[in-house]
Amino acid sequence: MKLASYRDGSRDGQLVVVSRDLTQAHYASGIASRLQQVLEDWNFLAPQLQTLYDELNAHRARHAFPFDAAQCLAPLPRTHRWVSATAYPGAAGDPLVLEHGAGDAFAPPCGAWSPAADVSALDCAAGLAVITGDVAPGALPEQAGEGVRLLMCALVLRSGRETLDAAFGPVAVTPDDLGDAWRGARAALTLQVLVRGRKLGLCETDAGMAHDFGGLIAQLARHRGIAAGSVIGALPVRSPDAARGYCSLADKRDAEARRDGAPTTDWLQPGDALHVEARMADGERPLGAITRELAAPPVAA
């Protein structure tokens, strides 16, 4: 099933169920008002949401309305634990790094970023992220993989090694909704990344993934477990085939420097548009799109 959080003036938004084709939605208020509630009582509430999802797809939901991604917050607008991981080794065989970030307020899928005027070398990194249920301390990777509740597209704004903000696609999807595209705690999708309207990358999300989500969650759960509603990202996606492009400007600039002696691709500039979307082998786009723009820095008063 597909879930989203609609704007309602609150920090957490209003939970909605979204149809498989992303055209219709239905408020889940008769079941739960917020996604965090569902994550903390998954076994009881998720089957009820699944029933509503089935009715919505069968055009039997009485109060359905057209789905509008521009009205969405991040599927889980805030969390107590947000970690991004280098699950895809680079050309130098980068080790696994887990970066703990601020999860108090994620950016919505549509909108603009306005970094401070003194921030330089602005980069974007695209990938996938999962939202977890409770995972016990010391869980093995296979057990930890069963803690994946939902999958999302992810895009972070970076300056050097510092993550400035994170945005997620409009809908979060249960792994079973991906069918055969979800296996071994990883998703077999093609991630399209556009910068300035031009292709940066068209990369397979499973081909170069050295650490699946089960392994990443197990690493984080080693000592004290993970609470429901934790968000773990795997980004940027990196393809073993350089012809597929890149999912971050830093990776592209590194490749240019190795090949030509110096990078030629510019860092992000004000006015640059970013677009990230994942698609399945049959062309279906199950996670919706992230469409953000880099605005000019705010003018000091």
Side-chain angles (χ1 to χ4, degrees):
M1 65 184 162
K2 302 182 192 294
L3 303 173
S5 293
Y6 251 41
R7 299 176 187 272
D8 66 351
S10 72
R11 294 186 179 187
D12 297 302
Q14 181 70 36
L15 182 65
V16 298
V17 177
V18 183
S19 63
R20 179 181 294 275
D21 62 4
L22 302 181
T23 62
Q24 297 290 303
H26 195 292
Y27 284 109
S29 50
I31 302 168
S33 60
R34 296 179 291 108
L35 180 55
Q36 184 64 35
Q37 292 175 261
V38 180
L39 294 165
E40 292 176 1
D41 197 7
W42 185 263
N43 290 339
F44 179 67
L45 295 177
Q48 298 177 56
L49 292 172
Q50 181 67 48
T51 297
L52 179 55
Y53 180 62
D54 294 339
E55 291 175 350
L56 188 60
N57 288 322
H59 307 288
R60 294 196 302 266
R62 295 179 57 189
H63 302 293
F65 55 88
F67 176 65
D68 181 2
Q71 296 303 314
C72 290
L73 300 172
L76 187 64
R78 55 179 175 161
T79 181
H80 48 277
R81 192 168 197 184
W82 152 234
V83 179
S84 62
T86 54
Y88 300 84
D94 304 328
L96 174 64
V97 176
L98 302 171
E99 178 189 351
H100 296 256
D104 55 323
F106 291 131
C110 306
W113 273 315
S114 299
D118 61 348
V119 175
S120 60
L122 281 169
D123 189 18
C124 58
L128 300 177
V130 296
I131 306 174
T132 75
D134 290 317
V135 178
L140 298 175
E142 294 79 8
Q143 298 167 320
E146 295 175 359
V148 173
R149 296 289 182 254
L150 297 159
L151 180 76
M152 309 177 286
C153 275
L155 178 68
V156 299
L157 181 68
R158 288 177 172 171
S159 175
R161 294 182 178 274
E162 181 183 5
T163 295
L164 306 180
D165 204 355
F168 299 93
V171 297
V173 180
T174 51
D176 65 283
D177 210 58
L178 298 178
D180 292 339
W182 179 265
R183 52 183 179 271
R186 68 186 74 206
L189 302 171
T190 301
L191 193 69
Q192 179 187 51
V193 183
L194 303 178
V195 177
R196 311 178 188 110
R198 305 183 66 176
K199 187 190 86 170
L200 178 65
L202 195 63
C203 300
E204 305 303 324
T205 61
D206 61 333
M209 193 177 195
H211 308 278
D212 65 28
F213 284 108
L216 297 178
I217 296 169
Q219 280 274 44
L220 291 167
R222 280 184 303 168
H223 302 301
R224 56 186 298 269
I226 290 180
S230 297
V231 180
I232 294 97
L235 66 163
V237 171
R238 287 169 172 150
S239 174
D241 180 4
R244 305 289 293 183
Y246 309 92
C247 290
S248 76
L249 292 174
D251 282 355
K252 184 175 183 182
R253 287 170 57 89
D254 286 348
E256 291 169 344
R258 291 193 303 271
R259 184 185 65 230
D260 306 323
T264 55
T265 297
D266 292 334
W267 296 113
L268 293 174
Q269 304 295 328
D272 285 350
L274 309 172
H275 181 98
V276 177
E277 193 168 18
R279 68 180 186 223
M280 299 174 67
D282 61 2
E284 182 183 344
R285 305 185 180 211
L287 306 178
I290 302 172
T291 56
R292 296 196 64 81
E293 183 178 328
L294 198 69
V299 179

